[in-house]
Amino acid sequence: MEITLTVNGTEHTVQVEPRTLLVHVIRETLSMTGTHIGCDTSSCGACTILVNGRSAKSCTLLAVQANGAEIITVEGLATTEGLHPIQEGFHLNHALHCGFCTPGVMLRAVELLEKNPNPTEEEIRWGISGNLCRCTGYNNIVKAIQWASAKMQNKELPSTEPEFV
Amino acid sequence: MIAENFVYSAPTSLSEAISLLHEYGDDAKILAGGHSLIPMMKLRFAAPTHLIDLKDIPGLSYVREEDGYLKIGAMTREVEMEDAAVVREKYHIFGDATKLIADPQVRNFGTIGGNLAHGDAANDHPAVMIALGAEVEIASQDGKRIVPIDDFFYGFYTTAVQHGEVLTEIRLPAANGRYGTAYHKAERKAGDYATAGVAVMVQLDEQGQCLRAGIGLTNVNPLPMRASRSEAVLVGSQLTAEVIEQAAQMASEDCNPSADLRGDEDYKRHLVKVITKRMLHQAISRAKK
Ligand SMILES: Cc1cc2nc3c(=O)[nH]c(=O)nc-3n(C[C@H](O)[C@H](O)[C@H](O)COP(=O)(O)OP(=O)(O)OC[C@H]3O[C@@H](n4cnc5c(N)ncnc54)[C@H](O)[C@@H]3O)c2cc1C
Ligand code: FES
Ligand code: FES
């Protein structure tokens, strides 16, 4: 089948089998490998992207379901002006170690902050409950999201000094 | 993992979807959010020859009070349920339940209709709808019929939705008077299916006597289950601590959990008792507010 996807602002018309998963079109057909496959069973969130603004596990969507959709992947976060605040937040707060989960967590966080610009720590933790990180631990990820929240609202930025506990 | 191949269509009207179901025969399946069906197809537990996607059919996604009912369109996504003002204000049980269903990404796609039509006692909405006394509207070539929720679940992955039919709406008696609802499930980790879950609805009169009660149980019985004996001791009572204790005890006796990785039978019965008690207290305190 022929489908059209707008990925990070660029329209792509591609041929897919109905059974092709969206994540495979993004990674293999469009060669954007920032979207990762961790579990392939909708559990880990590494494949999270935005589909019409909604965070989605692209290993559990058929590409045909996204026909006509606007898609944002990690490659679409930075602009010519620089990094997206969420990327800056991850960078400054040491919120990644191996980085495998990072694209998915960041895109999930983008939707979270869009809907709830000033989330509590608890709301952040529930908000990223579909994303597993196996090496950083979640504390710095939460700090990174809090930092991005402050930055996006032009508020005073929280300290990025590491906490030793 | 890749599913077996199939033919995909995305009709733009309900009648077109129903005629496609007829044209394609028994191995055609409806696709809603796909968050139960696609994982099963990837594992090749399901291999439909045709998928008929409902996403482009207008008018299947809504949450509104009308004619004494809360009406929920089958294609309403979990996230839309969570965010609906009327739900936040009056039907707290959906806030309780949706927060515990999977995770935000899954809730962005999974639908209320699909959650019921999947026919899985591990899903959370079946017990919720049992507690709330819901009815399900099913459309076919012959028009629409209404099935009470107690007659809806037939067996593992089978429901009253027959071949050639589409679940179109879920409706439940609107919140009325001193009405309170609550849901909780024990889960091993955020987003897991229930080890055991309990949904409760109560309606009280001015003196605090129980006029109506509904209790539905998740994942402790082959089918989503109504705790009928428990409901019967509640209705007409003053909902004292003793009555609540008795209702909770009965629910734990009447369910039929099976031992699995989530726990053994005794543990699950114990959970049913504890959660029933807590949810009754929660629903009653919400009803009194
Ligand atoms: C990681 C993960 C965790 C999950 N955890 C939970 C959980 O904790 N609790 C929970 O309740 N659920 C859970 N789910 C399931 C999720 O809520 C599903 O989205 C839901 O059960 C099915 O809804 P759907 O819209 O995705 O249906 P689909 O997957 O599209 O369809 C499911 C079945 O119903 C049929 N169907 C769907 N809509 C209709 C209709 N309108 N008329 C007739 N037939 C129809 C389909 O043909 C299919 O057989 C989880 C899913 C995942 C991937
Ligand atoms: S790869 Fe999609 S959720 Fe893990
Ligand atoms: S940074 Fe390694 S899995 Fe999260």
Side-chain angles (χ1 to χ4, degrees):
Chain A
M1 288 180 71
E2 186 175 279
I3 61 166
T4 301
L5 307 171
T6 304
V7 184
N8 304 326
T10 308
E11 201 176 284
H12 300 271
T13 298
V14 292
Q15 290 291 333
V16 297
E17 284 188 321
R19 62 179 170 172
T20 309
L21 299 169
L22 183 55
V23 69
H24 290 134
V25 172
I26 292 170
R27 287 178 55 84
E28 288 152 31
T29 315
L30 303 179
S31 301
M32 291 184 207
T33 53
T35 303
H36 295 161
I37 301 177
C39 64
D40 200 10
T41 56
S42 21
S43 306
C44 75
C47 63
T48 301
I49 57 171
L50 299 181
V51 177
N52 293 330
R54 286 186 175 183
S55 54
K57 291 181 171 175
S58 58
C59 71
T60 310
L61 283 180
L62 303 169
V64 289
Q65 286 177 287
N67 190 10
E70 297 265 354
I71 289 169
I72 306 285
T73 69
V74 69
E75 289 89 347
L77 286 181
T79 61
T80 46
E81 327 263 275
L83 293 177
H84 187 285
I86 194 74
Q87 291 173 308
E88 249 183 294
F90 269 68
H91 174 198
L92 294 173
N93 289 280
H94 307 279
L96 64 154
H97 186 170
C98 77
F100 197 83
C101 68
T102 311
V105 189
M106 290 197 301
L107 285 152
R108 173 62 209 131
V110 167
E111 189 201 13
L112 173 70
L113 293 176
E114 177 88 21
K115 280 182 79 166
N116 183 0
N118 201 13
T120 63
E121 176 175 342
E122 197 191 343
E123 286 167 341
I124 293 175
R125 288 186 182 269
W126 276 103
I128 58 168
S129 63
N131 295 78
L132 301 180
C133 175
R134 296 285 88 161
C135 55
T136 306
Y138 298 97
N139 288 352
N140 285 357
I141 293 178
V142 171
K143 279 177 69 185
I145 297 173
Q146 286 168 329
W147 191 93
S149 156
K151 170 97 192 219
M152 289 163 81
Q153 297 176 92
N154 297 317
K155 286 193 183 161
E156 195 189 328
L157 296 173
S159 159
T160 57
E161 282 303 307
E163 282 168 45
F164 295 102
V165 281
Chain B
M1 295 171 293
I2 307 291
E4 265 182 53
N5 227 339
F6 54 85
V7 175
Y8 172 88
S9 36
T12 52
S13 75
L14 188 59
S15 58
E16 192 187 343
I18 291 171
S19 52
L20 287 174
L21 280 171
H22 279 273
E23 188 185 323
Y24 296 148
D26 282 351
D27 292 325
K29 259 195 170 298
I30 285 168
L31 178 67
H35 276 56
S36 288
L37 185 53
I38 293 170
M40 286 181 72
M41 290 171 63
K42 286 171 69 179
L43 294 165
R44 310 240 173 159
F45 290 152
T49 55
H50 293 76
L51 277 191
I52 299 164
D53 193 343
L54 301 183
K55 76 175 167 60
D56 292 339
I57 302 178
L60 287 179
S61 173
Y62 51 85
V63 188
R64 58 172 177 255
E65 279 187 327
E66 193 176 82
D67 310 327
Y69 289 100
L70 179 74
K71 298 185 173 179
I72 305 161
M75 285 296 285
T76 306
R77 315 272 172 180
E78 300 287 352
V79 64
E80 290 153 1
M81 202 67 196
E82 249 174 306
D83 292 347
V86 63
V87 167
R88 283 174 176 253
E89 187 193 340
K90 295 190 193 170
Y91 303 89
H92 299 111
I93 195 167
F94 290 109
D96 298 344
T98 45
K99 186 176 177 189
L100 299 173
I101 292 177
D103 54 56
Q105 290 95 316
V106 173
R107 295 199 295 273
N108 274 342
F109 286 86
T111 65
I112 312 293
N115 198 290
L116 295 178
H118 192 51
D120 187 347
N123 274 2
D124 296 295
H125 283 294
V128 170
M129 296 303 176
I130 286 173
L132 299 178
E135 298 172 335
V136 176
E137 181 189 79
I138 299 172
S140 70
Q141 276 182 332
D142 307 325
K144 291 189 170 170
R145 64 194 179 98
I146 302 285
V147 178
I149 196 74
D150 294 273
D151 301 332
F152 182 77
F153 300 103
Y154 285 10
F156 197 49
Y157 297 144
T158 53
T159 69
V161 182
Q162 300 298 303
H163 184 72
E165 295 189 322
V166 180
L167 193 167
T168 44
E169 183 179 278
I170 304 102
R171 62 178 74 147
L172 40 111
N176 183 5
R178 303 174 84 194
Y179 175 91
T181 56
Y183 184 76
H184 187 66
K185 72 178 183 192
E187 52 182 2
R188 295 173 302 179
K189 62 168 209 21
D192 191 20
Y193 289 96
T195 307
V198 183
V200 168
M201 177 276 296
V202 291
Q203 192 185 336
L204 316 178
D205 70 9
E206 286 309 314
Q207 284 71 47
Q209 185 171 321
C210 179
L211 295 172
R212 287 200 300 146
I215 300 183
L217 307 180
T218 301
N219 219 7
V220 287
N221 197 63
L223 291 182
M225 185 186 144
R226 179 182 292 286
S228 309
R229 259 197 328 145
S230 312
E231 293 173 358
V233 295
L234 296 169
V235 174
S237 83
Q238 279 295 333
L239 299 174
T240 57
E242 295 75 54
V243 174
I244 290 171
E245 178 78 20
Q246 201 185 349
Q249 177 65 29
M250 285 173 169
S252 75
E253 287 168 6
D254 294 351
C255 64
N256 300 287
S258 48
D260 59 19
L261 288 173
R262 293 189 176 84
D264 63 23
E265 197 188 310
D266 287 348
Y267 173 59
K268 292 184 181 183
R269 285 189 196 281
H270 178 70
L271 284 178
V272 168
K273 181 167 177 184
V274 172
I275 303 173
T276 304
K277 222 187 310 184
R278 287 188 194 161
M279 291 306 100
L280 275 166
H281 283 293
Q282 172 80 294
I284 292 164
S285 88
R286 285 173 174 172
K288 288 181 174 168
K289 261 183 203 149

